[in-house]
């Protein structure tokens, strides 16, 4: 929208000079690129968008942190507009291919196909266009390869830049930011993170002038609810809800929720439910769930079914809705439940529209594949206005769901959290079934960042007046904890950057070891580590000032009190060491004596609650276990079971035996003895007292203390007595100050060690990576060898293993299908929870041998990494190759039909497409990196041709 011109009446009221100034301002504004850009939209830009665009036009880089759905991508689109106006290039990068495809379609609609290109690894469209949309990895690879496509680049937009916190892929974002030419203006678009200023400071350091624009305002207010039974409760009190819905900060406080902010009705409901569950009796009418009690207290709550939830939202006018279920199977089950219930959200005309669009989008899929893909059940659900959305679906199916949802023809989507990753698919409402999710290792609570990202989908700008986030009631739901989750609108951005093998050879090739090390020191990871050291450094400085004060207090006019204090400390340490040694010897002697006991031995327990006469029933010698071939005993020593003279059967511990014991008599234990029988215990205890009750316990003679005869202790005591400070009247005062001095000195040294461990961490890791690559012959000082140049063309988690396989000619002589099976082990990772008890099925012949050799090579690399202190857990080392997709890849590359391949693989079509597309990508890398003269290059290209068919060829998104 253009600036509104003043009306005639207002102009008449202005003086001539004011009218002239106003016309000058308008003329100046109309001359800006932003003025023309605003004309492209039929709505006014928000303040943060205008501020960011003005900073861009002024030549500054920008970091824009704003909530999901707030329109921060408009700033990225303005960078595209500026590049075209200036005759320069703009690269628009996204974290996932689906988002790249979506943004490409948006920009083509505005600027036409001639001006916009697409690069996603498996899609290349008009790559030399002035505007190119790409995944971030593609840009990273172009930077390392020195691609000519970079010529004339003026702007780079990094959408979803908070992805740099991703453990597996985050390093790519930092690599791009560090290596982009200085002439490129960077536009970083992020979710609201609590340390945006810190991230902006780093961008300013590595990229030059960067303006940070943070907006927590939601253009569409978001209301938070809890659906319990058949009633919808507001989460917050009315006043707080209004503040939080629009993202306004409260006066004088943080933005975390507390019980004072929570709807008191919801708090009472939670307490009533807790009383009902733990109060010992059910005071509620079991037949009339949800009814209020006669005294007006809340009735029993329950978790509504998925169908009940959709019905409720429909009746309240809160559709379309996305229900987040943290399970693919759960999403599919939800759709089936809706179908079985007869739920219909579309009328006849909408159903016809759905059918027409689906048939048009899936026309290229062979009819014989439709049944395999579950097409007919999927279409039935779509026509009713219901769909699932998750990574296991065929990409084409997911695209259709997204398009139908945007058109309002699908009104209820059941999705996993992957939908929240940047896909433009806003809803009126978002439903959270549970606040616990499986994170690949354990069931963990949803984080504030995840909650914000997921619920941020609610509220469509320009369509909805407000959005709604609905959490379903669950047993033990804590309204105050939920309020804290919903109230924490931001979360910190933490770098996951670590040097990889491919990164190392590319850096050394371009800059040499020393300059590469300096470059890595500029990473956000090191920036954060260095900042964390600042607080420690301040504490060290304060400690050092304190040490100086203590040193003055210790000063003695008779001599060097620090030396005297050192002698006292050495004497104390020696005495303590001898005492520990004596205690260990006594413990060992006691353990030896207990190990000699046998059932029927009578002993005197020397101390403890059960001191006195006792009969050994079981010596309690710990079992010896075997681990890695070594024998080791239980650390607690023997724990004998005894019958006391007072008829108690007890298991004793080493603490009851500070000194050795020995049997003083023997009593026969009857075969019929039952320790649980009071009569048996009474009879045996009586026999014990009769036979040994008169025996007095042996007196324990204290041996001479080891310190008495220790020559080192004698020397230290003599030195103490002869020291000048020994005769000082203020000796003990000085000693107290000296003790404080030593304690503070130890604390300071510990802090200094912590500082040392945090500084230069990235550079130290880089040094270890380079040392390993030097051992393997990929680097020679600052020179990258021929093998190293091959490694530079291989990207991925197992880059070094792939390079070793090429060097060792592991894949020479394989057929295309066999090579596809082997390459699949470089990309595939079984989902956690998959059956790992049985070995994966492998092709016979050359592929089986090659896969075995790959695992052997990995074992060699794993040992080398351990030697160089590099680990896969730290995102540096090579994980073990996963052979779980090898048979499936082999069958598909051999030309087997989709039905047969998927049935035997027991894998969703979407997963099959995703892994196969990654396989195509790695085979392309292998073809580029394979040495001349061998068979691998040609075989890899043939494998790609054999794989890119059928479902893989017509799936437009990887």
């Amino acid at each position: 929208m253009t600036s509104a011109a003043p009306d005639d009446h207002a102009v008449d009221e202005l003086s001539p000079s004011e009218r002239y100034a106003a016309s000058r301002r308008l003329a100046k504004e109309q001359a800006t690129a932003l003025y023309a850009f605003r004309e492209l939209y039929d709505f006014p830009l928000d303040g943060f968008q205008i501020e960011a665009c003005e900073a861009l036009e002024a030549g500054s880089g920008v970091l824009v942190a704003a909530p999901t759905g707030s329109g921060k991508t408009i700033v990225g689109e303005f960078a595209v507009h500026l590049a075209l106006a200036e005759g320069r290039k703009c690269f628009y990068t996204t974290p996932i291919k689906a988002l790249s495809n979506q943004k490409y379609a948006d920009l083509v609609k505005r600027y036409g196909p001639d001006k916009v290109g697409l690069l996603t690894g498996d899609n290349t469209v008009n790559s030399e266009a002035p505007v190119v949309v790409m995944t971030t990895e593609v840009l990273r690879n172009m930077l390392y390869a020195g691609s000519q496509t970079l010529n004339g680049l003026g702007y780079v937009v990094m959408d979803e830049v908070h992805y740099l916190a991703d453990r597996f892929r985050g390093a790519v974002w930092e690599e791009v930011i560090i290596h982009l030419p200085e002439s490129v203006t960077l536009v970083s678009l992020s979710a609201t993170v609590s340390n945006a200023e810190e991230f902006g400071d780093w961008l300013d350091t590595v990229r030059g002038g960067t303006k940070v624009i943070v907006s927590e305002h939601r253009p569409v207010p978001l209301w938070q609810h809890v659906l319990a039974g058949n009633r919808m409760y507001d989460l917050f009190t009315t006043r707080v809800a209004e503040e939080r819905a629009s993202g306004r900060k409260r006066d004088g406080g943080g933005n975390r929720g507390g019980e004072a902010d929570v709807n008191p009705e919801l708090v009472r409901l939670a307490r009533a439910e807790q009383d009902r569950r733990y109060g010992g009796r059910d005071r509620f009418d079991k037949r009339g769930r949800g009814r209020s009690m006669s005294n007006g207290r809340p009735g029993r709550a329950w978790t509504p079914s998925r169908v009940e939830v959709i019905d409720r939202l429909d009746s309240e006018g809160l559709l379309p809705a996305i229900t987040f279920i943290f399970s693919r199977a759960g999403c599919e089950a939800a759709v089936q439940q809706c179908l079985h219930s007869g739920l219909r959200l579309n009328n006849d005309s909408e159903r016809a529209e759905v059918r027409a669009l689906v048939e048009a989008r899936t026309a290229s899929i062979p009819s014989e594949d439709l049944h395999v893909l579950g097409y007919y059940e999927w279409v039935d659900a779509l026509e009713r206005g219901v769909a699932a959305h998750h990574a296991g679906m065929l990409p084409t199916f997911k695209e259709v769901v997204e398009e139908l949802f945007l058109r309002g023809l699908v009104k209820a989507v059941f999705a996993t959290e992957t939908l929240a990753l940047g896909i433009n698919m806003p809803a009126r409402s978002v439903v959270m079934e549970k606040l616990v999710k499986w994170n690949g290792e354990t069931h963990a609570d949803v984080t504030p960042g995840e909650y914000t990202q997921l619920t941020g989908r609610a509220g469509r700008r320009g369509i909805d007046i407000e959005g709604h986030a609905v959490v379903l009631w669950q047993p033990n739901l804590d309204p105050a904890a939920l309020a804290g989750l919903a109230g924490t609108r931001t979360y910190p951005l933490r770098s996951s950057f670590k040097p990889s093998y491919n990164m190392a050879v590319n850096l050394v090739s371009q800059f040499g070891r020393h300059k590469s090390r300096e470059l890595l020191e500029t990473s956000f990871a090191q920036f954060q580590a260095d900042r964390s050291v600042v607080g420690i450094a301040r504490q060290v400085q304060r400690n050092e000032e304190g040490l100086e004060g203590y040193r003055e207090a210790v000063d003695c006019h008779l001599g060097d009190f620090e030396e005297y204090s050192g002698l006292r400390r050495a004497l104390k340490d020696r005495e303590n060491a001898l005492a520990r040694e004596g205690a260990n010897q006594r413990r060992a002697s006691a353990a030896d004596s207990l190990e000699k006991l046998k059932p029927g031995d009578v002993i005197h327990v020397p101390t403890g609650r059960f001191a006195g006469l006792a009969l050994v029933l079981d010596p309690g010698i710990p079992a010896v276990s075997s681990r890695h071939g070594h024998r080791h005993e239980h650390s607690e020593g023997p724990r004998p079971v005894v019958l006391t003279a007072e008829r108690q059967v007890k298991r004793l511990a080493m603490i009851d035996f500070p000194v050795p014991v020995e049997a003083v008599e023997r009593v026969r234990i009857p075969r019929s003895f039952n320790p649980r029988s009071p009569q048996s215990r009474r009879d045996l205890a009586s026999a014990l007292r009769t036979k040994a009750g008169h025996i007095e316990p042996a007196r324990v003679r204290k041996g001479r203390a080891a310190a008495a005869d220790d020559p080192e202790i004698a020397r230290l005591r003599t030195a103490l007595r002869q020291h000048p400070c020994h005769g000082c009247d203020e000796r003990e005062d000085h000693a107290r100050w000296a003790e404080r001095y030593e304690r503070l000195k130890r604390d300071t040294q510990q802090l200094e060690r912590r500082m040392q461990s945090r500084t230069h961490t990235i550079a130290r890791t880089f040094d270890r990576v380079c040392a390993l690559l030097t051992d393997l012959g990929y680097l020679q000082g600052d020179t990258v060898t021929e093998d190293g140049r091959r490694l530079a063309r291989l990207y991925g988690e197992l880059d070094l293993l792939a390079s070793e396989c090429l060097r060792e000619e592991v894949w020479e002589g394989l057929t295309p299908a066999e090579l596809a099976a082997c390459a699949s082990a470089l990309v595939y990772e079984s989902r956690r929870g998959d059956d790992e008890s049985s070995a994966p099925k492998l092709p016979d012949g050359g592929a089986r041998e090659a896969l075995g050799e790959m695992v052997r090579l990995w074992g060699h690399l794993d040992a080398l990494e351990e030697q160089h202190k590099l680990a896969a857990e730290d995102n540096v080392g090579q994980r073990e190759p996963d052979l779980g997709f090898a048979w499936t890849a082999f069958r598909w590359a051999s030309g087997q039909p989709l039905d047969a391949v998927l049935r035997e693989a027991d894998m969703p079509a979407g997963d099959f497409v995703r892994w196969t597309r990654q396989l195509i990508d790695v085979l392309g890398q292998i073809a580029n990196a394979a040495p001349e003269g061998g068979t691998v290059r040609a075989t890899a290209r043939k494998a790609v041709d054999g794989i890119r068919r059928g479902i893989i060829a017509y799936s437009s998104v990887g």
Side-chain angles (χ1 to χ4, degrees), residues 631-644:
R631 293 168 65 84
H632 56 159
E633 295 183 359
H634 197 288
S635 59
E636 293 185 358
R639 298 192 61 197
V641 177
V642 300
L643 172 70
T644 67

Side-chain angles (χ1 to χ4, degrees), residues 180-420:
L180 275 174
E182 288 183 16
S183 59
V184 175
T185 301
L186 186 65
V187 181
S188 304
L189 308 178
S190 170
T192 44
V193 291
S194 55
N195 59 335
E197 287 75 15
E198 178 188 42
F199 186 42
D201 288 346
W202 174 68
L203 287 172
D204 197 61
T205 303
V206 295
R207 300 296 316 162
T210 300
K211 184 160 186 178
V212 179
I213 293 106
V214 178
S215 172
E216 291 191 23
H217 173 71
R218 281 185 54 92
V220 180
L222 177 64
W223 297 86
Q224 308 275 350
H225 311 280
V226 173
L227 182 56
N230 56 11
R231 183 172 173 189
M232 187 94 75
Y233 293 85
D234 288 335
L235 174 59
F236 295 107
T237 58
T238 304
R239 177 181 60 82
V240 175
E242 289 173 353
E243 292 171 347
R244 296 187 184 279
S246 60
R248 296 199 308 272
K249 287 189 176 179
R250 302 179 62 188
D251 294 337
N255 56 359
R256 294 190 68 84
E259 189 162 312
D261 299 338
V262 180
N263 180 354
E265 282 191 274
L266 192 57
V267 173
R268 284 197 297 272
L269 174 69
R271 287 176 180 164
E273 281 296 298
Q274 190 172 29
D275 290 345
R276 185 188 65 77
R277 280 195 304 276
Y278 302 115
R281 62 192 172 96
D282 192 340
R283 296 169 293 166
F284 297 91
D285 181 1
K286 293 182 180 179
R287 293 169 298 171
R289 61 178 187 173
R291 297 175 184 171
S292 295
M293 296 177 65
S294 58
N295 62 6
R297 292 180 63 185
R300 180 176 178 180
W302 78 91
T303 305
S305 72
R306 288 158 177 166
V307 176
E308 287 175 328
V309 171
I310 301 302
D311 275 337
R312 179 61 189 269
L313 295 178
D314 191 19
S315 66
E316 296 272 356
L318 297 181
L319 295 180
I322 299 170
T323 301
F324 284 108
I325 302 172
F326 302 118
S327 151
R328 297 178 184 182
C331 293
E332 296 293 347
V335 172
Q336 290 302 313
Q337 288 159 14
C338 290
L339 293 179
H340 292 154
S341 73
L343 183 70
R344 292 185 185 275
L345 303 174
N346 283 343
N347 57 34
D348 290 342
S349 63
E350 288 172 328
R351 283 199 293 274
E353 202 175 337
V354 168
R355 172 70 69 170
L357 188 144
V358 169
E359 289 178 350
R361 294 287 185 273
T362 59
S364 60
I365 302 179
S367 57
E368 62 270 18
D369 288 349
L370 293 178
H371 180 70
V372 184
L373 300 171
Y375 171 83
Y376 301 103
E377 297 86 348
W378 174 67
V379 172
D380 183 24
L382 292 179
E383 289 183 344
R384 295 169 183 249
V386 178
H389 188 289
H390 56 75
M393 291 171 64
L394 187 70
T396 303
F397 285 13
K398 279 197 297 182
E399 288 176 345
V400 170
V401 170
E402 291 160 15
E403 186 172 353
L404 289 173
F405 192 80
L406 288 173
R407 290 191 181 195
L409 297 171
V410 164
K411 299 178 175 65
V413 166
F414 299 94
T416 56
E417 68 270 30
T418 54
L419 184 143

Side-chain angles (χ1 to χ4, degrees), residues 561-837:
F561 201 90
E562 283 190 49
E563 181 183 62
Y564 179 75
S565 177
L567 287 170
R568 286 176 63 136
R569 235 179 4 264
L571 177 60
K572 184 178 178 182
D573 290 346
R574 180 61 182 168
E575 287 173 340
N576 288 343
L578 288 174
R580 283 194 302 272
E581 190 178 310
N584 289 338
Q585 287 176 351
R586 287 192 298 276
R587 179 183 170 86
S589 299
D592 287 343
S593 69
L594 290 174
E595 287 180 0
K596 294 174 183 174
L597 296 178
K598 297 179 178 60
D601 282 346
V602 177
I603 60 173
H604 279 282
V605 178
T607 187
R609 288 176 56 199
F610 307 106
L613 201 63
L615 173 65
V616 177
L617 302 176
D618 176 4
I621 298 171
V624 177
S625 59
S626 175
R627 184 181 176 188
H628 304 307
H630 300 293
R631 293 168 65 84
H632 56 159
E633 295 183 359
H634 197 288
S635 59
E636 293 185 358
R639 298 192 61 197
V641 177
V642 300
L643 172 70
T644 67
E646 286 71 36
R647 308 192 300 271
Q648 291 178 297
V649 173
K650 294 293 178 183
R651 183 178 291 279
L652 305 180
M654 284 297 300
I655 196 170
D656 297 308
F657 299 94
V659 295
V661 295
E662 58 182 21
V664 295
E665 184 58 86
R666 282 192 59 78
V667 172
R668 191 181 69 81
I669 302 173
R671 280 178 170 275
S672 60
F673 175 73
N674 180 0
R676 294 185 178 181
S677 165
Q679 183 64 46
S680 290
R681 293 199 304 271
R682 189 163 45 249
D683 292 347
L684 191 56
S686 175
L688 169 65
R689 288 192 299 273
T690 301
K691 192 158 189 181
H694 61 284
I695 302 175
E696 291 292 328
R699 288 190 176 183
V700 179
R701 293 183 181 178
K702 282 193 174 182
R704 185 176 171 85
D709 301 322
D710 185 65
E712 178 63 11
I713 284 182
R715 185 190 70 77
L716 288 169
R717 285 175 176 164
T718 301
L720 267 178
R721 286 192 293 270
Q722 292 175 352
H723 197 283
C725 292
H726 193 65
C728 178
D729 294 339
E730 300 178 58
R731 181 183 70 193
E732 292 310 310
D733 284 341
H734 290 326
R736 280 192 292 274
W737 283 110
E739 181 59 34
R740 292 172 189 169
Y741 174 88
E742 281 302 318
R743 194 158 52 241
L744 187 59
K745 185 178 177 182
R746 284 195 301 272
D747 292 345
T748 304
Q749 288 170 343
Q750 187 176 4
L751 287 171
E752 287 172 338
R753 285 194 295 272
R754 282 174 61 193
M755 283 176 59
Q756 185 64 31
S757 69
R758 293 189 188 187
T759 53
H760 309 296
T761 49
I762 303 296
R764 284 201 298 271
T765 303
F766 175 72
D767 289 341
R768 292 198 289 269
V769 167
C770 288
L772 186 147
L773 291 174
T774 300
D775 285 355
L776 288 173
Y778 288 93
L779 293 176
Q780 290 178 356
D782 277 1
T783 303
V784 178
T785 65
E786 180 61 35
D787 290 332
R789 286 192 287 276
R790 181 187 308 116
L791 174 58
R793 295 193 289 274
L794 294 166
Y795 302 92
E797 280 189 276
L798 296 179
D799 47 6
L800 186 57
L801 177 59
S803 182
E804 284 291 283
C805 288
L806 287 172
R807 181 161 71 170
E808 297 293 326
E809 299 184 346
V810 172
W811 299 326
E812 286 293 334
L814 296 180
T815 66
E818 289 172 337
L819 180 57
C822 292
S824 74
L826 301 174
V827 295
Y828 180 71
E829 286 187 81
S830 305
R831 296 186 72 205
R832 294 292 180 97
D834 288 355
D835 183 18
E836 299 173 0
S837 59

